[in-house]
Amino acid sequence: MWFNNVCVFQVAEDFQVTPQDLAARLEQNAFTPCLSQDMSSAGWVPPLGRIGAELTHSINDCLLVCLQTEEKVLPGAVVKELLAEQVVMVEEREQRNLRRAEKERMRDELMLDLLPRAFVRHRQSYAYFDLHKHLAECSIAPARKGLAK
């Protein structure tokens, strides 16, 4: 796996962690998908995807972990258009202009109604720890899949 946007960190020499200990700690914050009214969710997933079940992948003194985030995406243009339609209907029905606070309340209610049907975007961030060389590398997303040379 090749990474883009890599950040390399020097790890303190007293940083001692076993793969089992790290997996146990990550299990406490394992990934769970967004609920119907949640905007985002984050948690740890197996770094090898469907191939592995463990939250850490360990070879020699190297560890690989993966943080997955899930965000619900509501296109602003859709929200704006639906809100404008609702505002016009209420203003015609009540024969008055709505105040800004009323429009914002309507927008919030509309967002809550649309959230269960929103698009969902997943992102994965990988971290690689080389405990022998005392290095840590983090990446926002892999550039391409394949074996590193």
Side-chain angles (χ1 to χ4, degrees), residues 59-107:
I59 296 177
N60 298 333
D61 281 339
C62 301
L63 297 171
L64 183 66
V65 296
C66 181
L67 178 72
Q68 179 167 312
T69 58
E70 180 178 275
E71 296 176 291
K72 290 194 177 175
V73 180
L74 289 172
V78 172
V79 174
K80 188 175 181 180
E81 183 178 326
L82 292 174
L83 179 62
E85 291 173 8
Q86 286 183 359
V87 167
V88 167
M89 286 177 24
V90 171
E91 287 179 343
E92 287 178 357
R93 185 179 64 227
E94 296 182 8
Q95 297 295 314
R96 66 180 182 89
N97 290 333
L98 294 178
R99 294 187 315 260
R100 181 177 181 191
E102 292 173 309
K103 290 179 185 178
E104 286 184 17
R105 183 184 47 80
M106 288 176 66
R107 181 183 177 280

Side-chain angles (χ1 to χ4, degrees), residues 8-132:
V8 179
F9 301 95
Q10 183 73 38
V11 179
E13 291 197 25
D14 61 349
F15 179 76
Q16 298 295 325
V17 65
T18 64
Q20 298 80 13
D21 183 37
L22 183 59
R25 290 181 185 188
L26 297 181
E27 187 67 40
Q28 297 171 1
N29 295 308
F31 175 76
T32 55
C34 290
L35 300 175
S36 65
Q37 297 299 318
D38 291 341
M39 283 296 290
S40 65
S41 176
W44 300 100
V45 296
L48 298 180
R50 287 184 240 129
I51 298 171
E54 297 292 322
L55 295 180
T56 60
H57 180 65
S58 172
I59 296 177
N60 298 333
D61 281 339
C62 301
L63 297 171
L64 183 66
V65 296
C66 181
L67 178 72
Q68 179 167 312
T69 58
E70 180 178 275
E71 296 176 291
K72 290 194 177 175
V73 180
L74 289 172
V78 172
V79 174
K80 188 175 181 180
E81 183 178 326
L82 292 174
L83 179 62
E85 291 173 8
Q86 286 183 359
V87 167
V88 167
M89 286 177 24
V90 171
E91 287 179 343
E92 287 178 357
R93 185 179 64 227
E94 296 182 8
Q95 297 295 314
R96 66 180 182 89
N97 290 333
L98 294 178
R99 294 187 315 260
R100 181 177 181 191
E102 292 173 309
K103 290 179 185 178
E104 286 184 17
R105 183 184 47 80
M106 288 176 66
R107 181 183 177 280
D108 292 343
E109 290 173 1
L110 181 62
M111 295 275 288
L112 286 175
D113 289 341
L114 292 175
L115 267 179
R117 298 178 286 160
F119 295 109
V120 177
R121 177 182 16 205
H122 294 93
R123 292 189 183 188
Q124 293 181 332
S125 301
Y126 291 86
Y128 165 80
F129 298 94
D130 188 335
L131 301 177
H132 180 69

